Amino acid sequence: MDDAERFEFDRQGYLVIRGLLSAEEVGRLSVAVDKLEEHALAHAPMQARKPVVWGLVTRHDPTRGYHGQGRRARGETLIVEDFWNADPTFDVLVDHAPTLRYVERAIQGRVTINNSEARYRYPGNCTGAHMGGPIGSKYRYGVNAQGIDCMMVRMVYFLHDVGPEDGPFSVVPGTHKSAFGPPARDLPDDEPGMIGLSVRSGDAVFFTENLRHGGLANRSERSRRTLHVGYGPAWMMSQNFSTMDQPQYLLPATLARYSQRQRALFQPVCEAELERARERLEQTAAS
Ligand SMILES: O=C(O)CCC(=O)C(=O)O
């Protein structure tokens, strides 16, 4: 993230990054995402887990190590979390240098990955708008003397072109700084100020979780496939639906094939870091 991008990210709460993935990366990831979808659908219902957050029951596939929810039908979404375990093709996104250059300018201190979702949004589907405005400290957007100080950011990778009719990822620009709650509507398409972001294959959207966001209706006849990876300070545990605020769910086989650098991106906080985080929170509260 250069200074011009940092200015835009601070002003708007998101960036559309053109060509973050190479054509080769898109090709390989697309094949893996398609295989994962077929596996998740063929193996549903998987072992049910108790609802961890927002009443959602996810299903766990013990051999491939992912958690899934949803189904393939008109208006529905399938979400597959912890896709790292399912296929080493996804390893390229663990320590993806072009991505980390953005993340490391938005989060202070040691960064870890806290969220992973393959999303399949079928025709007729939309993603309800959420976040924006004063949402509390967990996902807050902040700035201090060291620069931008986000609690959680996400990179959404697009594996095909997504136009206005294809269920684009959507945002209400600037709402990461709003002092008031947004005028919520049932459909993201009806929210005041909500815009869909048209992208090309290989592009990515980088945003602070504090920003009001969602996904406009998919009015096309093809499913929208994206990969979402979340990052935060090392003390933040998993932000996946199925393992919310627990350690990241990685199979031993996944950890074993990772490099030291990749493993570090999933390593929970150590005591010294926790102490520094407490100090920073106290300083923030006092200021
Ligand atoms: O891609 C979408 O439709 C919405 C995704 C979303 O809400 C998220 O990544 O937090």
Side-chain angles (χ1 to χ4, degrees), residues 50-57 138 239-245:
K50 69 176 169 43
V52 172
V53 65
W54 302 321
L56 290 168
V57 179
K138 188 176 187 188
Q239 297 305 303
N240 286 351
F241 298 116
S242 48
T243 52
M244 183 60 76
D245 294 327

Side-chain angles (χ1 to χ4, degrees), residues 7 100 105 112 165 170 207 218 233 277-278:
F7 177 82
L100 291 176
R105 258 200 129 179
T112 50
E165 302 297 303
S170 65
F207 67 102
N218 183 355
R278 279 194 205 104

Side-chain angles (χ1 to χ4, degrees), residues 83-287:
F83 54 72
W84 314 113
N85 294 316
D87 189 330
T89 307
F90 297 117
D91 292 2
V92 67
L93 296 182
V94 175
D95 54 346
H96 191 249
T99 296
L100 291 176
R101 283 198 278 276
Y102 286 89
V103 172
E104 283 165 359
R105 258 200 129 179
I107 291 174
Q108 298 184 7
R110 189 166 74 83
V111 166
T112 50
I113 291 174
N114 57 33
N115 164 254
S116 52
E117 300 167 6
R119 284 190 182 234
Y120 307 87
R121 289 191 41 211
Y122 299 111
N125 168 270
C126 64
T127 308
H130 49 289
M131 305 301 174
I135 55 171
S137 57
K138 188 176 187 188
Y139 299 133
R140 74 161 171 75
Y141 175 86
V143 175
N144 62 20
Q146 281 73 52
I148 294 176
D149 183 28
C150 285
M151 290 297 105
M152 184 175 173
V153 292
R154 260 193 249 230
M155 192 67 88
V156 184
Y157 300 96
F158 292 85
L159 303 176
H160 56 84
D161 296 356
V162 177
E165 302 297 303
D166 303 321
F169 183 80
S170 65
V171 296
V172 185
T175 43
H176 58 312
K177 295 182 180 178
S178 295
F180 303 103
R185 302 281 189 273
D186 288 344
L187 295 176
D189 301 55
D190 296 337
E191 285 226 4
M194 186 70 86
I195 56 168
L197 304 176
S198 291
V199 291
R200 307 298 302 266
S201 170
D203 290 351
V205 172
F206 184 60
F207 67 102
T208 156
E209 193 61 24
N210 202 158
L211 185 72
R212 186 111 181 123
H213 63 278
L216 300 187
N218 183 355
R219 297 192 175 83
S220 75
E221 284 310 312
R222 68 173 181 174
S223 57
R224 200 209 73 184
R225 297 164 309 139
T226 42
L227 286 167
H228 303 231
V229 182
Y231 303 82
W235 51 262
M236 195 179 271
M237 296 286 111
S238 168
Q239 297 305 303
N240 286 351
F241 298 116
S242 48
T243 52
M244 183 60 76
D245 294 327
Q246 299 168 14
Q248 284 288 317
Y249 185 79
L250 287 181
L251 295 177
T254 309
L255 281 169
R257 69 168 188 264
Y258 280 171
S259 67
Q260 207 179 350
R261 182 172 160 74
Q262 289 175 321
R263 273 199 291 273
L265 280 158
F266 290 97
Q267 233 144 44
V269 71
C270 67
E271 266 312 309
E273 285 171 320
L274 204 54
E275 191 47 40
R276 277 201 297 279
R278 279 194 205 104
E279 280 166 19
R280 280 198 48 223
L281 276 178
E282 279 163 23
Q283 282 160 12
T284 313
S287 63

